Amino acid sequence: MYWSYALCAVALLLCLPLYICFKPSRLHLACCFKSAGTLCAFSMALIAAIRLDPRCAVLAAAIFLYAAADYLLEFQFMLGAGFFLAGHICSVAFFLNLVPVSVLHLIAFLVFGGMTAWIFYVWRKPIGKQMPVFIVYGLSLALMGVCAIGCFTSFGIAGILIALGGVFFFISDLILLRRLLFPSAVNLDWAVMITYYASVLLFGMACLRL
């Protein structure tokens, strides 16, 4: 199990700083490091699918789509967002296969859905004509977070890791939205990536504990 912690260290202590470092001058190389960090989480889910629980193959597919989206997002934003959307669909399918819809899901949906609607309303002017696209993606993000939260009371530590991963992913995308719509300092890049990597790495580690 120590190798999983090593992968987390590689993602957070190597891939993340190199992505931030090379982003201003060598974007293609930076994005390779960005995707490599997500592939660390993918490798955990893939190994879990092969050796522990075949169901984890669905989450492995989701994380692989996230890794592809990491690269594409910097060059073709809508295409990258589409890959993230596909990844969320896979994640939702995996989480609902683990835990069916419950009262906890409904409560989480009220919180996540309400927060998303409020943010879109407050930032409606800078979002402008792209609002329909943001609503579709925001709904998929909220559903993914809700279904992750729904795993909290099941599977012990794995369920807790999944729930935390869903929360971190939601926070990461909210920070990313803030960075896209308004002038932002480089600190927001760090915040986006730290919370994002924390999310996918928690998903990967959860697979090893199912």
Side-chain angles (χ1 to χ4, degrees), residues 91-101 105 147 151:
S91 295
V92 168
F94 174 74
F95 299 145
L96 288 180
N97 186 49
L98 292 180
V99 180
V101 176
H105 287 82
C147 294
C151 298

Side-chain angles (χ1 to χ4, degrees), residues 42-210:
F42 164 74
S43 64
M44 296 185 208
L46 181 62
I47 291 172
I50 295 172
R51 302 190 61 180
L52 301 173
D53 190 333
R55 294 178 298 178
C56 293
V58 179
L59 188 56
I63 299 175
F64 186 81
L65 288 169
Y66 294 152
D70 288 337
Y71 189 92
L72 293 170
L73 200 67
E74 302 287 349
F75 305 100
Q76 295 288 337
F77 182 81
M78 288 301 177
L79 181 59
F83 270 77
F84 269 118
L85 176 61
H88 291 336
I89 293 172
C90 291
S91 295
V92 168
F94 174 74
F95 299 145
L96 288 180
N97 186 49
L98 292 180
V99 180
V101 176
S102 65
V103 174
L104 180 58
H105 287 82
L106 298 178
I107 295 172
F109 182 76
L110 290 176
V111 174
F112 277 36
M115 187 180 303
T116 302
W118 180 77
I119 289 172
F120 283 175
Y121 175 77
V122 172
W123 291 346
R124 64 191 182 279
K125 288 185 178 179
I127 292 175
K129 295 181 179 180
Q130 291 184 309
M131 182 63 78
V133 175
F134 278 83
I135 289 175
V136 171
Y137 180 80
L139 181 59
S140 73
L141 173 66
L143 287 175
M144 188 277 290
V146 165
C147 294
I149 291 288
C151 298
F152 181 78
T153 57
S154 305
F155 301 101
I157 186 65
I160 294 172
L161 293 176
I162 290 173
L164 288 174
V167 172
F168 276 122
F169 210 124
F170 188 80
I171 292 172
S172 176
D173 274 10
L174 289 185
I175 301 172
L176 176 60
L177 178 61
R178 167 65 174 78
R179 194 197 70 184
L180 290 173
L181 297 179
F182 305 99
S184 304
V186 69
N187 290 341
L188 279 191
D189 284 335
W190 285 94
V192 168
M193 292 307 300
I194 288 172
T195 50
Y196 170 65
Y197 276 161
S199 171
V200 293
L201 290 169
L202 286 169
F203 287 161
M205 295 186 74
C207 288
L208 297 172
R209 290 162 174 77
L210 285 175

Side-chain angles (χ1 to χ4, degrees), residues 2-17 40 44 201:
Y2 290 109
W3 61 269
S4 64
Y5 301 127
L7 286 173
C8 292
V10 169
L12 292 168
L13 302 180
L14 182 63
C15 295
L16 172 55
C40 290
M44 296 185 208
L201 290 169

